[in-house]
Amino acid sequence: MGARFSTPWIYLAPALVVLGGLLVYPVYQLGLISFLEYTQAQVSGGEPTSFQGLGNYRELFGDPEFWRVLLATVVFAAACVASTLAVGCALAVLLTRVRAVPRLVLMLAALGAWATPAVTGSTVWLLLFDPDFGPVNRFLGLGDHSWTYGRYSAFLLVLLEVVWCSFPFVMVTVYAGIRAVPAEVLEAAALDGASQWRIWRSVLAPMLRPILAVVTIQSVIWDFKVFTQIYVMTNGGGIAGQNLVLNVYAYQKAFASSQYSLGSAIGVVTLLILLAVTLGYLRLLRRQGEEL
C-alpha cells in the first residue's frame, strides 16, 4: 500500500522540484520585499534600511487609488472571462456543426490568433482602430474618433483584443470535450425535442463541468493579471491612469516610482485574490457535483 501511494510522487518529484524553483522562491522573495523598505538604493546593492512589517500594506490599503484600480481590475477581468467563455463555447459548438474544410479554416485562424504575441496583437488592434488610418472607424463612419481617449472605450478595445487572443484556448478545449461526449446522448436529447440551447445547458455543460472549470480558472488567472495589452494599447494605463489595472499599477509603483516594496505588496495582494477565487470556484463546483 505504501509503495503504491509513493509511486506517483516519485514520478512527480522532478516536476515539483522545477516548479518549486520557478514559483516558490520568487513568491517568497516577493513576500519578503513587501515587508521591507526597498527602494532604488537596495536594488543597486544596498541593504534594506528597515523592516516595515505591515506598514507597506497599510499604506497601500489607505490609498484610494488602490481601491479604484482594484475595482476596475475585477470588473474588467470578469467581463473578459465572461466574453471569452461565451465566444469560445459558442465557436466550439459551431465546430461540431460545420464540415471539415470550414472547421479546419476556423481552427487555423483561431490558433493563429492564439499564437500571436501579445505585443504584436495589441499593436495590430491599435492600427485597426486608429482614428486617422484605421479601417474600423471608416467602416463604422466614426471619423477621427479615438478609442483610447475615453476610459470605457479604451477598456472595451482592450477587452476585444484580450478575447481575440484568449478564446482559441477555450474553443479547442471545449471542442475536444464535446467530441468525447457519446453521440447517442446528444441524439436522445434531440429526439426528445430539446433545443440547441437546452442541449448545451442540460446535457453538455454538466458533462463538461471539469473542462469548463479548467478553462474558467485559467481565464480568470490570465485576465486578472493582464499587463501587456493594457500597457501597450493605453500607453501605460491611459490618461491620468484611468485605465490602470493591478499589474500595471504594480509596475508603475515598482519601476516608475522606485517603490519596490509597494509594488511587491500589490503583487502579493493579487496572488492572494487569485488563490481565493480559484479555491472558491473549485469548492463551488465540488458542492454542485455532490448535489447532482
Side-chain angles (χ1 to χ4, degrees), residues 2-288:
R4 186 185 306 174
F5 177 79
S6 62
T7 299
W9 291 102
I10 295 176
Y11 288 109
L12 289 173
L16 292 176
V17 171
V18 174
L19 288 176
L22 294 177
L23 296 177
V24 176
Y25 182 73
V27 170
Y28 163 75
Q29 285 292 332
L30 183 72
L32 179 62
I33 293 175
S34 71
F35 290 108
L36 301 174
E37 183 180 349
Y38 210 87
T39 60
Q40 187 61 44
Q42 284 69 49
V43 173
S44 302
E47 292 294 329
T49 55
S50 63
F51 179 75
Q52 298 293 312
L54 297 176
N56 292 317
Y57 292 93
R58 284 193 293 267
E59 180 179 351
L60 181 65
F61 294 151
D63 185 359
E65 185 181 20
F66 166 75
W67 296 105
R68 179 182 66 81
V69 173
L70 176 60
L71 177 61
T73 305
V74 171
V75 174
F76 176 74
C80 288
V81 171
S83 302
T84 301
L85 292 177
V87 173
C89 291
L91 290 178
V93 174
L94 177 63
L95 286 176
T96 64
R97 303 288 176 181
V98 298
R99 296 182 180 275
V101 174
R103 183 188 307 126
L104 178 61
V105 172
L106 180 56
M107 291 280 281
L108 291 177
L111 292 177
W114 193 20
T116 302
V119 174
T120 304
S122 301
T123 304
V124 169
W125 275 76
L126 281 177
L127 292 175
L128 290 174
F129 288 83
D130 186 85
D132 298 319
F133 308 104
V136 175
N137 279 13
R138 295 182 182 180
F139 178 77
L140 297 177
L142 296 178
D144 59 353
H145 170 73
S146 176
W147 290 79
T148 58
Y149 185 79
R151 184 188 186 198
Y152 297 108
S153 60
F155 269 129
L156 175 61
L157 182 59
V158 177
L159 182 146
L160 293 175
E161 200 280 336
V162 170
V163 172
W164 174 76
C165 68
S166 301
F167 83 85
F169 171 73
V170 178
M171 183 190 75
V172 172
T173 306
V174 174
Y175 172 71
I178 294 175
R179 300 298 296 179
V181 174
E184 296 80 6
V185 176
L186 302 179
E187 292 175 0
L191 290 175
D192 288 339
S195 63
Q196 293 301 319
W197 168 247
R198 181 73 176 182
I199 292 175
W200 167 261
R201 185 169 64 89
S202 301
V203 179
L204 287 176
M207 298 184 71
L208 298 175
R209 181 177 285 111
I211 293 177
L212 292 175
V214 171
V215 296
T216 300
I217 293 172
Q218 194 70 52
S219 297
V220 169
I221 294 173
W222 283 345
D223 296 340
F224 197 85
K225 61 184 187 66
V226 163
F227 174 83
T228 304
Q229 290 89 341
I230 289 285
Y231 192 84
V232 172
M233 300 179 74
T234 66
N235 195 24
I239 301 173
Q242 64 182 2
N243 295 113
L244 284 176
V245 292
L246 280 180
N247 264 8
V248 180
Y249 185 55
Y251 175 86
Q252 288 191 352
K253 287 293 185 183
F255 297 101
S257 303
S258 297
Q259 296 176 294
Y260 297 98
S261 298
L262 283 179
S264 299
I266 297 171
V268 171
V269 171
T270 303
L271 175 63
L272 294 177
I273 292 174
L274 288 175
L275 284 176
V277 171
T278 302
L279 293 177
Y281 185 70
L282 290 176
R283 185 177 180 182
L284 177 62
L285 288 176
R286 182 177 180 182
R287 183 180 303 172
Q288 291 177 348

